[in-house]
Amino acid sequence: MTTSQLSRRVFLQGSLGLLTLAVTAKGLISTVWAADPAAQKYGADSMPGGTVDDPLIFVSIAADGSVTIVAHRAEMGTGVRTSLPMVVADEMEASWDRVKVVQAEANETRYGNQNVDGSRSMRHFLLPMRKAGAAARQMLEAAAAARWSVPISEVRAVQHEVVHQPTGRRLSYGELAAEAASQPVPSGDQLKLKARADFRYIGKGEVRAVDLETIGKGQATYGMDMHLPGMVYAVVARPPVVGGKLHRVDSTKALAVPGVLKVVEVPAFEGAPGFQPLGGVAVVARNTWSAMQGRAALEIEWDDGPNGTYDSAAYRQTLEAASRVSGKVVRNQGDAAQAWGNAPETERFAADYYVPHLAHASMEPPVATVRIQSGSAEVWTSIQNPVAAQDAVAARLKLQPENVRVHVLLLGGGFGRKSKPDFVDEATIVAQAMPDGTPVKLVWTREDDIHHDYLHTVSSERLEAVIDTKGQVQSWLHRSAAPTIASLFTEGAKGQQIFESAMSAINMPYRIANVRVETAEVPAHARIGWFRSVANIPHAFAAQCFIAELAHRAGKDHMQFALDLIGPARKIDPGTLGDTWNYSESPERYPYDTGRLRGVIEAAAHGAGWGRELPEGHGLGLAFCYSFMSYTATVVEVAVDEKGEVRVLAVDMALDCGPQINPERIRAQMEGGAIMGLSLALTSEITFEKGRVKQSNFHDYEVLRHNASPRMIRTHLVNDNYDLPPGGVGEPPVPPVAPALCNAIFAASGKRVRSLPVRKVV
């Protein structure tokens, strides 16, 4: 198994005379909600580029029988560069050891949507890739039947050959490639997808990642590994405050640094930040060291702008005050206020929770290489949304997008940060200032990455409930105060949008008569971006800790209390919960299934041995979440010593994502989600003073160290049901981890943790 980069031109040239399957592109589809529900687009159809399922674009067979399959979505550790081609190979009966996977360039007209955000890759492209593989198989079978002049019903593709079943005659895929290329592509009603019992790779978890060997040997090409002849290197001194601008710069000392070639001003963004560069001054040199030394020698004065007084400690007080007063109502049923007002003081319970800003801190900071030549541009970068990069470069250079080629390299982590192509735009600005044809590699340091990230939102969450003497919850009020991602695109935007509120705040399925959810209109003072699992993190942290507190107040077992609150298995229209977004998926296809939620809770609890006797100072904590069309539950076991030090002993994670296409990769995502969830819960925090991020590297923006990692992470995959549509996998593991940890800390120590990061129990 090998993998390589593939340009459109090379693919088309190399496919002449072979089996090459092509498609008709779908037009761009708006994601705006339609006024007429009948006209509403859901799922992949609501995404730019939609899906492509006609196989002629994804499969090529050489005369020697080797099969090339195009991976059109970026690989950042989720395994998508293996899993989607694996689906094609299974349906077309290709032998996996004769398959080569190649990475597509940016081209949504050709390949369908390429934005690797929102845990959509398998959710949106499982069926299209199955269809592509099945069509290729049927075209090979048709070619063999034509050559033998036999009915097609007598032939069958089996592991890289087509067999004439009555006589045993065989033809290899290589022998049939040219003839199969002339066969018509089967239409939808003619396609014959495999039965589950016939899968060779799907659902087995036995296919090794295509990049595993090259990554292990240090031979894989990430953005940082890119090198071109004549390349120069650039770093940027950016305004330390978002919205700040360059006041004055003296470049004399920088230009005197050996190896420095040029200093280029990067214009500050106007209006809302969007994906625009922050601005500043770029130093271009013959190597990165000289560029960084030149940047250090710049004499710069900044105008900090309107966010120069931003202080995260003071802003926390602002958020907490906002979460304690009435806000914008996003869900309202019954009368929570009346239930609260009529209840005796002994039946009222309230709690406040806090989650700070978080940085993505992927192992590979942003990096992009750009070369501009003869009215066109070429880009090599690690990007989750290659078409966004293509559009940014085209807009900057006033080119048509088709004159900008974006080569998608491996990503050393992404988590949502690398779908925002500001760093590619920066590289383009610098390349534009250099002689025609000069490749410019623009590099972010770790400090750049921490200081200038699109941060996960900071949040204050207020929960209030009436719980009667029988332990029944009579009312539920959830107020959330957090700056919105919408501030990225609309200047001055305040208050969470429906898609943010629909992440574990309004879409709670509990049997409570009086429910009210509100959001506060608070401003953003930093670039707020999506982060692995987005608003589910603060909302689930608050709600899941609160449920545990209610269970304790009622004197009931937490798991049983949660199951009783959820009630019997039923399928709920998300719209009845106030969720008109539903992750852009059809509510009929993806209802909220409380039976599946109950299933993961029971599986995680069973795996952890819920209810067993524990040593002194040990505790088990539970939390659960519905996100990205999947159901997750987590049980964490901790030990808390007499000094308040927390040690995580074990994590049990259960996931119901519907069909489990590549279980090995699912387990990897679950384990990674456990580590990331523990990291953000225990140590990670971004703070501001005078508009500036105080943290700079992993010594003060801490991620989980090996010695703090759990001794055991057990994953429990449940309900492998191919009658269900696929759910997401990359993001759902994260939200339940922090609340499960904090609930375990209480069980071990009797101390509640309502503010992250935990660091230690005091």
Side-chain angles (χ1 to χ4, degrees):
M1 168 59 61
T2 58
T3 180
S4 61
Q5 298 298 312
L6 177 72
S7 73
R8 176 182 179 184
R9 183 181 301 275
V10 170
F11 181 73
L12 290 175
Q13 289 174 341
S15 300
L16 297 177
L18 310 178
L19 169 59
T20 309
L21 311 174
V23 289
T24 302
K26 297 181 180 178
L28 299 183
I29 298 173
S30 171
T31 58
V32 176
W33 292 95
D36 178 8
Q40 179 64 54
K41 299 290 186 181
Y42 292 112
D45 288 338
S46 70
M47 298 294 293
T51 61
V52 169
D53 58 21
D54 191 324
L56 284 182
I57 202 68
F58 289 102
V59 179
S60 177
I61 303 178
D64 65 359
S66 60
V67 173
T68 298
I69 300 176
V70 177
H72 70 296
R73 295 173 75 77
E75 177 59 72
M76 58 179 178
T78 63
V80 67
R81 194 144 93 172
T82 300
S83 298
L84 287 177
M86 180 194 76
V87 168
V88 177
D90 200 330
E91 280 287 358
M92 71 176 289
E93 272 293 308
S95 179
W96 187 248
D97 60 2
R98 303 188 69 184
V99 171
K100 180 172 73 171
V101 175
V102 293
Q103 182 68 50
E105 295 178 5
N107 191 334
E108 286 187 343
T109 300
R110 184 173 180 81
Y111 300 110
N113 184 263
Q114 293 180 283
N115 182 5
V116 185
D117 263 328
S119 298
R120 296 186 182 101
S121 290
M122 194 59 70
R123 201 166 93 218
H124 287 175
F125 282 94
L126 170 60
L127 184 57
M129 293 301 97
R130 288 191 68 187
K131 288 181 176 179
R137 165 174 41 86
Q138 289 177 228
M139 293 167 73
L140 287 159
E141 290 171 338
R147 184 186 290 195
W148 288 324
S149 299
V150 299
I152 197 168
S153 59
E154 294 182 359
V155 303
R156 184 185 177 197
V158 182
Q159 279 296 271
H160 239 79
E161 295 180 320
V162 179
V163 180
H164 183 225
Q165 293 173 309
T167 64
R169 286 180 290 177
R170 297 172 180 268
L171 288 169
S172 71
Y173 280 9
E175 292 175 291
L176 291 168
E179 294 160 69
S182 65
Q183 293 292 325
V185 177
S187 61
D189 58 349
Q190 296 173 318
L191 280 176
K192 299 174 183 176
L193 299 178
K194 279 186 174 183
R196 181 177 179 178
D198 295 329
F199 289 155
R200 295 182 183 274
Y201 315 125
I202 295 172
K204 308 299 184 184
E206 298 171 357
V207 171
R208 191 172 72 166
V210 297
D211 303 296
L212 185 62
E213 184 173 342
T214 56
I215 291 172
K217 292 180 177 179
Q219 298 170 344
T221 303
Y222 294 85
M224 287 290 182
D225 299 314
M226 190 62 207
H227 181 78
L228 293 171
M231 178 181 286
V232 298
Y233 302 82
V235 296
V236 178
R238 299 171 185 86
V241 178
V242 171
K245 295 183 179 181
L246 179 67
H247 178 65
R248 185 190 68 85
V249 61
D250 185 340
S251 306
T252 305
K253 294 180 181 178
L255 291 168
V257 172
V260 170
L261 301 172
K262 195 169 187 174
V263 172
V264 178
E265 184 173 340
V266 178
F269 67 82
E270 300 291 339
F275 299 153
Q276 303 174 79
L278 289 167
V281 181
V283 177
V284 188
R286 298 193 185 279
N287 55 70
T288 51
W289 176 251
S290 294
M292 288 188 285
Q293 293 301 106
R295 179 173 66 174
L298 290 170
E299 296 180 0
I300 299 181
E301 292 180 11
W302 302 102
D303 175 354
D304 287 345
N307 296 314
T309 60
Y310 181 39
D311 182 286
S312 54
Y315 190 63
R316 176 175 180 171
Q317 296 178 6
T318 299
L319 293 178
E320 290 175 343
S323 67
R324 290 175 182 148
V325 297
S326 296
K328 178 183 176 182
V329 179
V330 291
R331 178 178 174 184
N332 192 34
Q333 66 184 59
D335 194 330
Q338 184 181 54
W340 179 270
N342 292 342
E345 189 70 27
T346 55
E347 296 183 5
R348 298 177 184 175
F349 183 65
D352 297 287
Y353 303 89
Y354 178 78
V355 175
H357 282 301
L358 300 168
H360 296 84
S362 51
M363 287 304 296
E364 178 191 33
V367 57
T369 300
V370 175
R371 180 172 61 196
I372 304 169
Q373 193 168 23
S374 304
S376 64
E378 201 162 2
V379 178
W380 294 262
T381 190
S382 303
I383 189 81
Q384 290 176 243
N385 189 352
V387 172
Q390 183 182 48
D391 290 342
V393 174
R396 179 67 60 183
L397 300 178
K398 296 180 172 56
L399 297 174
Q400 293 299 313
E402 55 265 28
N403 291 327
V404 177
R405 295 179 62 188
V406 177
H407 304 274
V408 181
L409 307 179
L410 277 171
L411 283 71
F415 311 122
R417 167 60 181 100
K418 291 177 185 171
S419 58
K420 308 167 184 74
D422 57 318
F423 57 97
V424 182
D425 200 355
E426 285 181 332
T428 305
I429 291 168
V430 177
Q432 195 175 21
M434 301 302 292
D436 198 48
T438 303
V440 173
K441 183 176 182 177
L442 187 137
V443 175
W444 286 45
T445 65
R446 173 63 59 206
E447 288 77 9
D448 295 335
D449 186 37
I450 298 295
H451 285 155
H452 305 295
D453 195 9
Y454 287 81
L455 297 171
H456 184 275
T457 188
V458 58
S459 175
S460 176
E461 310 287 323
R462 170 83 172 177
L463 277 296
E464 297 178 0
V466 172
I467 180 167
D468 64 24
T469 55
K470 296 180 180 179
Q472 301 298 312
V473 181
Q474 301 299 327
S475 75
W476 174 284
L477 171 67
H478 185 167
R479 290 196 180 113
S480 179
T484 176
I485 291 171
S487 62
L488 206 59
F489 306 105
T490 303
E491 192 171 10
K494 298 179 181 180
Q496 295 172 64
Q497 307 299 297
I498 186 65
F499 75 90
E500 292 162 304
S501 297
M503 294 185 184
S504 300
I506 61 176
N507 63 339
M508 36 84 84
Y510 314 129
R511 296 186 300 169
I512 302 173
N514 304 291
V515 176
R516 189 176 180 91
V517 182
E518 300 174 356
T519 63
E521 303 286 302
V522 292
H525 298 290
R527 293 197 297 184
I528 306 299
W530 40 95
F531 178 100
R532 188 179 184 183
S533 215
V534 207
N536 287 294
I537 292 172
H539 294 158
F541 172 64
Q544 292 299 305
C545 286
F546 193 63
I547 289 172
E549 296 198 47
L550 291 176
H552 179 73
R553 191 176 178 90
K556 296 183 177 182
D557 173 77
H558 178 197
M559 184 190 75
Q560 191 57 54
F561 182 85
L563 293 174
D564 291 344
L565 197 62
I566 293 166
R570 61 201 189 281
K571 295 179 181 178
I572 305 172
D573 182 338
T576 64
L577 303 176
D579 180 6
T580 56
W581 177 56
N582 200 41
Y583 295 90
S584 78
E585 301 289 355
S586 163
E588 288 78 21
R589 192 164 185 247
Y590 287 96
Y592 198 135
D593 190 331
T594 62
R596 297 173 69 184
L597 185 62
R598 293 177 64 94
V600 293
I601 293 170
E602 291 167 343
H606 177 75
W610 187 266
R612 61 188 164 92
E613 186 173 344
L614 296 170
E616 183 72 20
H618 287 226
L620 292 176
L622 166 71
F624 49 90
C625 186
Y626 168 67
S627 67
F628 300 93
M629 325 322 293
S630 290
Y631 302 81
T632 50
T634 297
V635 175
V636 174
E637 181 179 358
V638 303
V640 181
D641 65 20
E642 64 278 0
K643 296 179 180 179
E645 298 289 343
V646 177
R647 185 159 47 98
V648 181
L649 303 178
V651 179
D652 282 83
M653 311 185 79
L655 172 73
D656 179 351
C657 62
Q660 299 163 16
I661 306 307
N662 193 346
E664 186 276 332
R665 284 290 89 196
I666 295 174
R667 291 189 179 93
Q669 289 300 293
M670 297 292 284
E671 292 165 0
I675 296 298
M676 190 170 187
L678 290 171
S679 184
L680 66 88
L682 287 168
T683 60
S684 299
E685 179 181 26
I686 291 291
T687 58
F688 284 81
E689 281 185 5
K690 296 181 179 179
R692 291 156 170 78
V693 173
K694 293 175 64 178
Q695 293 71 27
S696 61
N697 208 312
F698 288 136
H699 70 287
D700 53 6
Y701 183 77
E702 297 181 53
V703 297
L704 202 68
R705 305 293 198 264
H706 283 296
N707 64 352
S709 298
R711 298 175 182 176
M712 177 69 69
I713 301 175
R714 293 179 287 259
T715 59
H716 311 281
L717 305 182
V718 301
N719 196 26
D720 184 17
N721 187 344
Y722 281 73
D723 292 328
L724 294 170
V729 170
E731 294 171 274
V734 176
V737 176
L741 171 76
C742 292
N743 292 336
I745 290 171
F746 175 78
S749 67
K751 296 179 180 179
R752 288 289 178 195
V753 177
R754 294 173 177 162
S755 178
L756 299 181
V758 176
R759 300 193 187 277
K760 64 182 292 185
V761 180
V762 294

